[in-house]
Amino acid sequence: MDIFKLKQNGTTAKTELNAALTTFLAMVYIIPVNALILSDAGMPKDALLVATALITILATIFNGLWANTPVALSTGMGLNAYFTYSMVIGMEIPWQTALGAIFISSAIFTILSFTNFRLWIIKNIPLDLRYAISAGIGAFIAFVGLSQMGLIVSSPATKVAIGNVADPKVLIGVIGLILMIIFWALKIRIGFILAITITSAIAWIFGIYEMPQSVVSMPVSIAPIFGELDILSALQISLLPAVLTLFVTHLFDSIGTLTGVGNRANLFNTPEGEKKLARNLESDAIASMAGAAIGTSTITAFAESASGVETGGRTGLTAVFIGILFIFTLFFLPLFNAIPSNAIYPVLVMVGILMFSELGKIDYKDPAICVSTFLSVILMPLTYSITIGLSVGFISYFIIKLALRRYQDLNLGVITLTIVSLFAFIASSSPNLLKFILGE
């Protein structure tokens, strides 16, 4: 236990275990949720359930040992939605190629993790723009959740319309969403999994969805997705916007989550804490490469780790305990597989709500921030593309600052990401034009 420096961090093994149990219960929903989202990309759900649990175990324990922080790692919400609904469905990229893009993005992320590049980017990008990106992704995944629930449907006349709430399956989704909102408002830490459990029970009791025939089983093989990533196919110019979006989103998501979790207990506010932060960033970068190889979307720090920190978790022993607790989930495949999809999709909406709340921190008196925030947030769901929203946000910010002659706000970081965003926007909207620019 001395490797975790428990006494030095003012904690005990018992406290760390209690913190781990709290975080585990708050985030165990990720197993059925992530499997369902990625299965929409055409991947086998059974293998995804096991792969999600497996990468959570490996990544979280690795982070506990490497970074000595009480932070759990797993497949990131928003990033998994981007993988399925933007890359595979929207851009019509085979899931094997999409996994290859994640591996490439994560490899770049890993290399840069051992430099000061990520911290340099973060220090040079206005905080308000980071809030806007988070809110835009929130709007996007909330839209995905509502449409997958059937609460929002397509309409020839108005593009979108309200769904048939009288449909029992849609009604189950509505009940689940209401429960999640109530539990969140009441600050119940295990609200997500509690709402999924209650909603599933209602659906099974009334015969809306089939009840599980068994609860426990041996883990299935992950062979159908393990090592199936296609890196060579991902090395094409048309996928550059996707790779860049994965990188930038992962960057902001990691920093934002770790900053938020760390602030709860001043984990990263000392020279030693900064070293832990750097190692935590290295952990999720390396874990994302491993995740792509195993067959899952981007791995990142989980915001639910804050619940464990509030319970007293201070060291990597909490993370190790969390990883051990997730081992038990490998043997509950039939139960996870039987959870109704409309008991799970409300999680996307609720996570979207939480991410959207970042808008309240933005200073709208700055015209560049006001316009770029609006365009980022509105375009992500309307174009079904995080890439478009992110790139237009940076481009509009740069143009307005230039027009206002506020050159002092256009540092090298902003200029760099604006150029990258311009290429990403052109590649997403006019791939042939990008090939012409590059002389292909």
Side-chain angles (χ1 to χ4, degrees):
M1 297 295 182
D2 188 56
I3 62 171
F4 300 108
K5 301 178 181 178
L6 299 181
K7 189 174 181 179
Q8 182 178 324
N9 286 282
T11 184
T12 64
K14 182 180 179 181
T15 300
E16 299 288 290
L17 178 58
N18 288 336
L21 184 60
T22 301
T23 299
F24 169 76
L25 292 173
M27 66 174 286
V28 70
Y29 71 87
I30 192 59
I31 295 179
V33 171
N34 187 64
L36 181 64
I37 291 172
L38 297 192
S39 68
D40 285 344
M43 303 173 73
K45 187 178 178 183
D46 284 0
L48 286 167
L49 287 165
V50 175
T52 303
L54 189 60
I55 192 60
T56 303
I57 294 165
L58 296 175
T60 302
I61 292 177
F62 174 70
N63 184 61
L65 296 173
W66 178 249
N68 195 23
T69 63
V71 178
L73 305 183
S74 189
T75 48
M77 293 295 295
L79 289 160
N80 52 10
Y82 176 70
F83 174 91
T84 294
Y85 303 111
S86 282
M87 295 179 69
V88 178
I89 295 177
M91 299 171 68
E92 299 182 347
I93 301 170
W95 61 263
Q96 295 90 340
T97 303
L99 286 175
I102 287 177
F103 185 88
I104 294 170
S105 169
S106 300
I108 298 170
F109 203 41
T110 301
I111 293 170
L112 295 178
S113 293
F114 294 92
T115 71
N116 291 324
F117 176 80
R118 286 200 289 184
L119 294 178
W120 174 78
I121 283 287
I122 292 300
K123 290 178 180 178
N124 281 278
I125 300 303
L127 188 59
D128 286 341
L129 278 183
R130 281 185 266 156
Y131 290 146
I133 291 169
S134 178
I137 294 173
F140 171 75
I141 64 175
F143 180 77
V144 168
L146 291 170
S147 59
Q148 292 298 114
M149 284 166 54
L151 194 57
I152 289 178
V153 296
S154 60
S155 167
T158 59
K159 302 300 181 184
V160 292
I162 194 71
N164 180 15
V165 184
D167 183 322
K169 292 186 176 181
V170 177
L171 187 58
I172 283 295
V174 172
I175 292 172
L177 180 57
I178 291 173
L179 287 173
M180 285 185 190
I181 292 172
I182 291 174
F183 292 153
W184 168 75
L186 293 174
K187 298 182 179 180
I188 297 176
R189 290 172 179 164
I190 60 171
F192 282 9
I193 194 65
L194 187 60
I196 290 174
T197 301
I198 295 172
T199 309
S200 298
I202 294 172
W204 292 332
I205 291 170
F206 288 94
I208 301 172
Y209 286 88
E210 187 176 345
M211 188 176 294
Q213 300 302 308
S214 60
V215 175
V216 180
S217 72
M218 292 300 293
V220 302
S221 172
I222 61 172
I225 58 177
F226 180 79
E228 290 297 310
L229 69 169
D230 188 349
I231 298 174
L232 290 178
S233 295
L235 291 171
Q236 49 185 302
I237 200 68
S238 61
L239 290 185
L240 178 61
V243 173
L244 292 175
T245 298
L246 286 168
F247 175 79
V248 174
T249 305
H250 190 187
L251 172 67
F252 289 163
D253 187 82
S254 297
I255 291 290
T257 299
L258 289 172
T259 300
V261 172
N263 284 344
R264 303 293 182 98
N266 296 318
L267 293 178
F268 308 126
N269 297 335
T270 65
E272 179 64 25
E274 289 182 3
K275 292 180 182 178
K276 289 183 177 182
L277 174 61
R279 287 204 162 197
N280 219 133
L281 292 170
E282 293 161 10
S283 294
D284 68 40
I286 295 169
S288 287
M289 292 176 63
I294 289 174
T296 62
S297 53
T298 307
I299 309 303
T300 189
F302 245 61
E304 283 77 1
S305 301
S307 62
V309 169
E310 289 178 347
T311 311
R314 292 294 181 271
T315 75
L317 184 58
T318 294
V320 171
F321 279 142
I322 294 169
I324 293 172
L325 288 169
F326 265 97
I327 292 174
F328 295 101
T329 65
L330 290 168
F331 302 96
F332 289 91
L333 178 63
L335 178 62
F336 285 129
N337 216 0
I339 295 175
S341 58
N342 270 18
I344 294 175
Y345 283 126
V347 173
L348 272 68
V349 183
M350 193 63 232
V351 171
I353 292 171
L354 297 177
M355 296 178 74
F356 196 78
S357 65
E358 295 292 300
L359 289 178
K361 302 174 182 177
I362 295 176
D363 177 15
Y364 295 99
K365 294 178 181 178
D366 184 333
I369 291 295
C370 184
V371 172
S372 59
T373 294
F374 173 77
L375 291 176
S376 289
V377 172
I378 200 72
L379 286 178
M380 285 189 194
L382 289 185
T383 62
Y384 221 65
S385 171
I386 293 174
T387 303
I388 294 292
L390 190 151
S391 58
V392 171
F394 277 114
I395 294 168
S396 59
Y397 177 86
F398 180 84
I399 291 173
I400 295 174
K401 287 292 184 182
L402 202 62
L404 295 174
R405 298 181 181 179
R406 295 181 183 174
Y407 306 125
Q408 69 275 13
D409 294 335
L410 299 177
N411 55 52
L412 187 57
V414 171
I415 294 172
T416 300
L417 280 182
T418 300
I419 293 172
V420 169
S421 296
L422 183 61
F423 275 93
F425 177 77
I426 293 172
S428 297
S429 57
S430 306
N432 291 331
L433 177 59
L434 182 61
K435 290 181 180 180
F436 174 78
I437 293 173
L438 295 176
E440 292 191 359

